Amino acid sequence: MAAVLDTRFDIQPFDLPLGAAITGLDLSVPLSREDFALIHRAHLDHHVLVFRDQHITPAQQVAFSHRFGPLQIHVLRQFQLPTQPEVLIISNVKEHGQPLGLGDAGHFWHSDLSYKAVPSLGSMLHAQELPLDGGDTLFANQHLAWDRLPGYLRRAIDGRSAEHSYLAKYAELQKRSPWRPDLTRAQIDEVRPALHPIVRTHPETGRRALFVSEHFTTRVIGLPDSDSRALLDELFAFSTRPDFVYRHQWQARDMVFWDNRSVMHLAAGCPDHQRRLLYRTTIEGNAPF
């Protein structure tokens, strides 16, 4: 697809399974209705948008995010930005012996908040501090995964739903990260498992996409445990094939906006001693169908 040229900013698609870079745009200034429509269309077309060199405040990030819909608050409220509670701090930084943010976010492939009855439309992640080594984020196009899914797997998941649970890998993550907190009873009640179709339809484009992940999907409804596990393992492996993936190498002040209805993502990790700090906002979507 050719680049969209505009006197105000450029939208340059990547020669990859998904993604586009947006340059020449200052998100500290409110977008006109026409410019917002261009960004909205590009997000639907490319699934991941990389806004380069954004010198914006958390409040400005929240304001831009809110133009796409209501914002969702992560269950780990101890990692909210104190001055802007809609912002989740993603960071490996510790201050006074305590974690500043969620340091192991994205350790497994997932779609944000798929464990909620109403999952996320999309997430925006704005780089504040980046490590010298590593720190990449990978995105896998789940429309392509569905389009190229073998017939026998399509038949196996036809009409089926799966359970998504925030707690699916939580104990494992706690073993890896002593800083991941225990959940209160109220937090556990807030993230009760949700059931969603294995193949969802994008509410704005009508395209179908796989909607399972190794992080949150626990079982296929109506199948014996062994059959469910085997089917999910095969779907997990297929859905993240390299030919579906864009690997984002962060640049200073990047803000990345991805569509959780269309992609999964994974954090590649970085050395513990190198500081990484990003601010995330999450936009509410719709109940998958």
Side-chain angles (χ1 to χ4, degrees), residues 127-153:
Q128 307 298 310
E129 295 184 59
L130 296 173
L132 293 175
D133 305 301
D136 296 353
T137 305
L138 284 68
F139 297 92
N141 187 331
Q142 296 308 285
H143 296 302
L144 283 182
W146 165 252
D147 291 344
R148 300 178 187 177
L149 197 69
Y152 76 94
L153 282 176

Side-chain angles (χ1 to χ4, degrees), residues 14-231:
F14 300 142
D15 188 19
L16 293 165
L18 68 163
I22 297 181
T23 57
L25 179 65
D26 182 1
L27 289 177
S28 69
V29 179
L31 289 179
S32 69
R33 188 173 300 175
E34 294 76 17
D35 286 349
F36 178 78
L38 287 174
I39 297 299
H40 185 198
R41 184 69 255 170
H43 189 243
L44 295 177
D45 289 343
H46 305 296
H47 319 311
V48 174
L49 298 181
V50 180
F51 298 90
R52 298 292 191 189
D53 196 30
Q54 293 301 316
H55 295 263
I56 59 174
T57 66
Q60 288 166 338
Q61 180 178 344
V62 167
F64 178 57
S65 303
H66 206 277
R67 291 194 67 170
F68 291 87
L71 302 189
Q72 293 175 300
I73 305 298
H74 195 278
V75 66
L76 296 180
R77 287 175 174 78
Q78 51 267 70
F79 296 140
Q80 290 174 335
L81 188 65
T83 58
Q84 203 73 53
E86 302 93 338
V87 172
L88 176 69
I89 301 171
I90 305 294
S91 181
N92 64 353
V93 177
K94 300 180 183 70
E95 292 184 347
H96 309 295
Q98 295 298 316
L100 184 65
L102 188 56
D104 59 358
H107 184 82
F108 299 102
W109 283 104
H110 68 289
S111 172
D112 285 336
L113 276 64
S114 74
Y115 51 84
K116 303 282 284 184
V118 180
S120 164
L121 176 157
S123 301
M124 296 190 192
L125 194 60
H126 188 210
Q128 307 298 310
E129 295 184 59
L130 296 173
L132 293 175
D133 305 301
D136 296 353
T137 305
L138 284 68
F139 297 92
N141 187 331
Q142 296 308 285
H143 296 302
L144 283 182
W146 165 252
D147 291 344
R148 300 178 187 177
L149 197 69
Y152 76 94
L153 282 176
R154 287 191 176 210
R155 290 188 292 273
I157 62 178
D158 183 40
R160 292 195 177 277
S161 296
E163 179 186 78
H164 295 238
S165 173
Y166 181 68
L167 301 181
K169 301 281 191 183
Y170 201 84
E172 181 178 342
L173 288 170
Q174 282 190 305
K175 290 178 183 177
R176 294 172 178 267
S177 171
W179 301 108
R180 183 170 276 256
D182 290 333
L183 297 175
T184 66
R185 182 72 254 172
Q187 287 174 312
I188 292 171
D189 289 343
E190 187 178 329
V191 291
R192 295 181 185 276
L195 302 184
H196 298 306
I198 293 176
V199 182
R200 70 175 299 176
T201 300
H202 196 290
E204 296 186 79
T205 67
R207 293 190 65 186
R208 305 189 79 193
L210 283 183
F211 195 60
V212 293
S213 75
E214 64 175 350
H215 192 161
F216 297 130
T217 309
T218 56
R219 62 191 177 99
V220 177
I221 304 305
L223 288 184
D225 288 347
S226 59
D227 293 347
S228 170
R229 184 76 267 152
L231 178 56

Side-chain angles (χ1 to χ4, degrees), residues 247-281:
R247 186 182 188 106
H248 181 65
Q249 296 178 308
W250 288 85
Q251 298 179 22
R253 311 305 295 182
D254 274 354
M255 188 166 78
V256 179
F257 177 27
W258 64 89
D259 192 330
N260 281 304
R261 304 163 298 185
S262 300
V263 306
M264 288 194 295
H265 62 283
L266 173 75
C270 70
D272 288 340
H273 66 279
Q274 296 188 19
R275 290 171 65 97
R276 183 173 185 263
L277 173 64
L278 305 99
Y279 291 160
R280 193 184 90 182
T281 45

